[in-house]
Amino acid sequence: MNDSSTSAELLTTLRAVVRELAPGDRLPSSRELIDRHRVGPGTVARAIAQLTAEGVVITRPGSGTYVAPRARRTEAVIDTGWQTVALADRSVDAQSLADSAAPEGAIRLDGGYLHGSLQPARALTAALARAARRPDAWDRAPAAGLSSLRTVFAALADADVRADDVLITSGGQSGLSIAFRAIAAPGSPVLVESPSYPGALAAARAAGLSPIPVPLDEYGVRPDLLAEAFARSGARLFYCQPTYQNPTGTVLSDERRQQVLAVARAAGAFVLEDDFARLLHHGGTVPKPLLSMDRDGTVIYLTSLTKPAAPSLRIGALIARGPVLERLRAIRQVDDFFVARPLQEAALELLSSPTWDRHLRGLAVALRDRCGALVNALADARPDWQVNQVPTGGLHLWVRLPTDDVAAAVEARQAGVIVSPGDRFFATEKPAAWLRLNFAATADLADLSAAADRLGNVSSQ
């Protein structure tokens, strides 16, 4: 150690010395430390003071510095049994949303986000840096969100809406929670597609609502069964994903889009349109949202930047017209006052940058290629597994199995592939066995091929 050594470096050395000594043992004197490590008296004094403050050593004036007694750690035992009674029977189902730790070397085909290699990391970093340099970057943001960002979201919605109809949220999941609590009272039914997004089912139940499933086919939700569900349940809200539905990838047909709106209007109900995947198309034409056909405020529209950008870009938007918008704004403000301004500014910088359009074009190609690669690899490795519909957008394949999906997911994990079993996507009993596979969650096409090979070893019994 030379004259430029710091007390931090000496601290590391002294901590190693203390670990080798027993409580009560004496440390070398200050003079010995100065000579041995070639440091100044001030450096030694600072290091000893830090160790004393941490309780690692004790000093005895005129005697020296000694290793302090090591305190025994005891676990505090408290009785929390009373909480079960106080919390009553309203549980929050977050289990289906939690990401489990993957074994080393496992290939992840679960989750709902892009792999890091598909995220616009450089553009995000640059956008955040520019946003942070704004003079007002850390000022309070308007409760509804920055006007300029709301204007951009209004344009992205491809409908006849204005910035004043837009409410910025902390991502799509926050928007779901706000909408469910704003529209329906606890104890009310809410109609959902079957299968549906687990995050929506969890958010609805957390709001005290009871999800009632309405089946899908290859053209989307069935309007006849939707009308019947409204009539039987008295529900005043239908949650759906008309474009690249999660988990099936289904696109609601043009004819049914009109029918769904007509059914909801007849029931005096709202439609919560979750348009999370509009920017996740695979290069084809994307249908206009239900919002664009809405002429009387039936549709509440939800979108987010999280899926096409990165998990931590927690910026979304709710679009609504009429009194319901005021209800949404009120709940949003009570929750957390406003969305962090630097993140809103960064989102605005990103969306305004030419790199964003380039990212989306490249992403469309990558998603199309990955989807096709996984479909072909599964056809070779698992001809007994059925992909009834190859999606033209989104991140997932919905695969039907001849065996139990939960057991298959367990075996797949043991084989080194993490997948999502189908049971979590149904509000009630599942009609068959399914797996959801995320073809955008891996580093490259080679990983998809390797994952399919490993899935070929999963039992078909």
Side-chain angles (χ1 to χ4, degrees), residues 107 109 373-382 385 415-417 437 445-458:
I107 300 173
L109 299 183
L374 185 56
V375 169
N376 292 333
L378 285 176
D380 292 337
R382 296 305 315 224
W385 291 8
V417 183
L437 310 181
L445 297 179
D447 278 348
L448 290 175
S449 178
D453 288 342
R454 295 180 187 183
L455 291 173
N457 296 322
V458 173

Side-chain angles (χ1 to χ4, degrees), residues 119-448:
Q119 298 170 18
R122 289 187 178 180
L124 281 166
T125 299
L128 190 58
R130 291 194 299 270
R133 289 195 294 268
R134 291 177 178 266
D136 56 355
W138 295 99
D139 288 354
R140 174 172 178 152
L146 298 178
S147 175
S148 50
L149 184 58
R150 288 187 283 123
T151 298
V152 172
F153 271 114
L156 289 174
D158 196 15
D160 185 19
V161 293
R162 305 168 301 151
D164 288 345
D165 302 322
V166 180
L167 176 67
I168 301 300
T169 67
S170 296
Q173 192 65 26
S174 173
L176 282 176
S177 178
I178 291 169
F180 283 134
R181 287 179 291 139
I183 300 168
S188 302
V190 56
L191 305 186
V192 299
E193 297 165 318
S194 184
S196 188
Y197 167 49
L201 300 178
R205 290 178 175 132
L209 309 183
S210 300
I212 296 176
V214 183
L216 299 170
D217 61 20
E218 65 270 30
Y219 303 107
V221 69
R222 288 180 50 181
D224 58 332
L225 296 181
L226 180 64
E228 182 179 346
F230 271 126
R232 287 179 176 271
S233 67
R236 291 294 178 265
L237 175 62
F238 171 48
Y239 167 77
C240 60
Q241 298 175 310
T243 304
Y244 314 132
Q245 197 259 0
N246 179 7
T248 65
T250 302
V251 175
L252 186 64
S253 68
D254 290 342
E255 180 183 7
R256 288 192 180 182
R257 287 172 183 253
Q258 297 285 359
Q259 292 173 348
V260 165
L261 287 181
V263 167
R265 290 190 191 108
F270 289 100
V271 174
L272 177 54
E273 179 182 16
D274 186 350
D275 202 20
F276 80 102
R278 175 159 297 275
L279 300 181
L280 298 175
H281 61 84
H282 296 177
T285 301
V286 184
K288 292 175 75 69
L290 297 181
L291 181 68
S292 67
M293 308 173 185
D294 180 27
R295 296 294 176 265
D296 53 14
T298 297
V299 176
I300 297 170
Y301 180 85
L302 173 65
T303 189
S304 169
L305 297 179
T306 304
K307 301 298 185 183
S312 285
L313 188 61
R314 307 302 302 173
I315 294 291
L318 283 165
I319 300 178
R321 291 162 291 183
V324 70
L325 178 58
E326 296 307 314
R327 181 78 62 83
L328 293 167
R329 284 174 176 164
I331 291 181
R332 173 56 263 291
Q333 193 164 0
V334 167
D335 276 355
D336 55 6
F337 294 119
F338 56 88
V339 176
R341 185 165 189 143
L343 205 55
Q344 291 192 60
E345 297 280 11
L348 184 60
E349 290 281 353
L350 178 68
L351 294 175
S352 304
S353 169
T355 58
W356 178 243
D357 288 335
R358 289 198 296 271
H359 163 67
L360 293 179
R361 290 195 297 270
L363 181 61
V365 174
L367 293 179
R368 183 191 64 210
D369 291 348
R370 284 164 175 260
C371 179
L374 185 56
V375 169
N376 292 333
L378 285 176
D380 292 337
R382 296 305 315 224
D384 55 328
W385 291 8
Q386 298 177 19
V387 179
N388 295 328
Q389 191 170 13
V390 178
T392 57
L395 308 176
H396 304 106
L397 279 185
W398 188 234
V399 183
R400 183 164 182 173
L401 274 60
T403 56
D404 179 64
D405 52 328
V406 176
V410 172
E411 283 197 48
R413 184 183 185 86
Q414 294 169 345
V417 183
I418 313 300
V419 298
S420 299
D423 61 334
R424 60 188 292 207
F425 300 92
F426 292 91
T428 56
E429 294 81 6
K430 60 186 178 185
W434 303 84
L435 292 180
R436 191 192 71 172
L437 310 181
N438 182 352
F439 48 78
T442 63
D444 50 36
L445 297 179
D447 278 348
L448 290 175

